[in-house]
Amino acid sequence: MATTTTLRVGVVQFAPRIGKVQANIAKARELCKGLTPRCVDLLCFPEMIFTGYVFPDAASISPYLEHPRTGPTSTFCAELARRLECYVTAGFPEHSEHDSNSLAAPLPLPLPSPATTAPPTSTPTSSPHNHTGPIGFNSAVLYSPTGEPLTLYRKSNLFETDLSWAAPGSGFTVLDLPPPLGKTTIAICNDLNVHNSAVWNSLEDGPYELARHCVREETRLLVLLNAWLKARNEDDEGGDEGEAKRTEEGEDNGDDDVELEPNWETLNWWAQRLRPTWAHHHPTITEKENGDQRTEPQINGSSIEPKDLVVVACNRFGDEGGKTFVGSSAMLMMRRGSGRPRLLHAMGEREEGIGIWTVPVRL
């Protein structure tokens, strides 16, 4: 009989001010000051949370690109991980001069392949106009409970805002972490969508790149670090694929219900983009290539039991450059073959704070 344990995840949601790195870190410290050691197993911060996200071009983001070990995001994560004795992950803009060769040696888990590293640059403050290619990566770092860096993930499916400065990463990976986390995949926002060269065929076919990765690798925990936008209207696809409502920064429309309620369209979008992890039957890559019409899920020719996938989507809110971020951080449970995703916890669209969420997981 399978045994169970409890997974405890902390999700930090607030509205950073673009370019105000130290002020945003101070805000995060204030939100986290009440947390005690070992109160959570994993603490998550969203995509590029301390720099802000909507930089119009490479020149504007260049001064904020960070080293993945010594930059302000990593320094903060390491300190917090040591204090709370938990894993900590956060998104940040990485400077491309620090390639994976310079990082790989001290880290026990693999980093992106050097073959996909962007051309090196001279200094973090040099003008991006002198470069012919990307000057950085949209990245996420994970720190261990002892404050050691474990791995660096680089966003694979870039959004239009990333394209002026970032190179894509080398693809999704899975980390085999100690219980209760288990096999963990870290992804960033638009990774839920598809590469620009891919065409969405149908609800059945996708392509569901990230979801198929999680099924193939038997991922148990998917962590999405987002800067997800609010769709302008119901026809927009939302998030990294849709335009945001244009609002003046700091404007308060007084709608308390919107502040406290999650954006249900966004939650539905996230769940639909992970359809193969919960649908009654969704053909795997192996099945489709072999023309196999069997209803029993197959991976690499072997039958598998339905697996539970815990999905943690950590998002920010606030306004930048006419874009509105939708908040609505959430925890969902995806059970292979169940026919429906389950929403376990969610925050409101403009709810500031930390969600401390627990879920039983099978060992």
Side-chain angles (χ1 to χ4, degrees):
M1 180 179 295
T3 59
T4 63
T5 186
T6 299
L7 172 65
R8 304 164 301 169
V9 179
V11 175
V12 182
Q13 179 173 293
F14 68 99
R17 297 167 57 199
I18 191 164
K20 306 296 184 182
V21 175
Q22 293 306 318
N24 294 330
I25 290 176
K27 179 67 175 181
R29 283 202 179 98
E30 176 68 19
L31 291 174
C32 294
K33 69 179 183 180
L35 298 180
T36 57
R38 295 187 292 268
C39 68
V40 294
D41 301 299
L42 172 68
L43 187 62
C44 305
F45 293 85
E47 176 182 15
M48 290 174 55
I49 184 61
F50 300 129
T51 58
Y53 182 66
V54 187
F55 291 91
D57 49 40
S60 60
I61 198 172
S62 181
Y64 302 101
L65 300 179
E66 302 181 17
H67 188 286
R69 276 210 199 88
T70 59
T73 298
S74 290
T75 300
F76 171 79
C77 288
E79 293 173 352
L80 193 60
R82 283 193 296 269
R83 181 176 80 79
L84 297 180
E85 300 178 39
C86 72
Y87 294 88
V88 177
T89 184
F92 71 101
E94 178 195 354
H95 201 287
S96 63
E97 74 170 356
H98 308 291
D99 66 21
S100 56
N101 284 328
S102 67
L103 293 170
L107 299 183
L109 296 174
L111 290 175
S113 167
T116 61
T117 301
T121 59
S122 54
T123 65
T125 56
S126 60
S127 171
H129 299 297
N130 297 329
H131 304 295
T132 58
I135 62 171
F137 302 93
N138 187 331
S139 300
V141 70
L142 175 70
Y143 275 79
S144 76
T146 59
E148 296 300 317
L150 285 183
T151 196
L152 179 73
Y153 170 72
R154 291 164 174 167
K155 188 176 184 179
S156 298
N157 295 352
L158 300 181
F159 180 49
E160 60 186 25
T161 306
D162 306 313
L163 296 178
S164 67
W165 65 274
S170 58
F172 309 126
T173 61
V174 62
L175 313 173
D176 198 358
L177 299 176
L181 280 75
K183 288 189 174 182
T184 300
T185 292
I186 296 175
I188 301 175
C189 207
N190 202 52
D191 283 333
L192 266 181
N193 292 312
V194 298
H195 286 293
N196 290 335
S197 60
V199 176
W200 191 266
N201 296 320
S202 68
L203 188 63
E204 179 70 16
D205 295 332
Y208 294 96
E209 297 166 346
L210 181 57
R212 291 191 187 281
H213 160 84
C214 290
V215 171
R216 182 174 58 250
E217 300 295 334
E218 299 186 15
T219 296
R220 303 301 303 275
L221 175 64
L222 171 61
V223 180
L224 295 167
L225 306 184
N226 293 347
W228 200 275
L229 300 176
K230 185 171 185 177
R232 184 191 307 168
N233 56 54
E234 293 181 356
D235 295 328
D236 287 334
E237 289 185 324
D240 269 343
E241 290 291 318
E243 289 296 322
K245 288 182 178 178
R246 187 174 184 86
T247 59
E248 293 299 322
E249 189 161 351
E251 180 181 351
D252 183 2
N253 63 11
D255 191 342
D256 291 337
D257 290 339
V258 171
E259 181 173 340
L260 296 177
E261 282 289 313
N263 185 287
W264 297 107
E265 290 79 10
T266 297
L267 296 182
N268 182 66
W269 181 265
W270 292 342
Q272 286 297 333
R273 277 298 192 254
L274 295 169
R275 182 179 172 83
T277 67
W278 55 262
H280 281 305
H281 171 62
H282 203 100
T284 66
I285 295 173
T286 302
E287 288 175 334
K288 291 179 69 62
E289 289 175 350
N290 294 339
D292 193 343
Q293 299 302 314
R294 289 172 293 181
T295 58
E296 185 179 18
Q298 299 281 313
I299 294 183
N300 296 328
S302 300
S303 297
I304 62 168
E305 295 293 329
K307 298 288 187 179
D308 290 343
L309 172 69
V310 177
V311 179
V312 176
C314 181
N315 198 30
R316 54 158 292 181
F317 68 97
D319 302 283
E320 286 179 13
K323 308 289 187 181
T324 299
F325 297 87
V326 76
S328 307
S329 296
M331 175 183 279
L332 302 98
M333 173 68 78
M334 312 298 195
R335 176 163 293 178
R336 186 84 186 277
S338 68
R340 58 175 300 205
R342 290 175 53 208
L343 177 64
L344 303 180
H345 306 279
M347 299 181 75
E349 285 194 28
R350 295 191 299 274
E351 182 179 349
E352 180 180 280
I354 304 179
I356 304 295
W357 300 330
T358 62
V359 59
V361 294
R362 289 183 290 181
L363 296 176

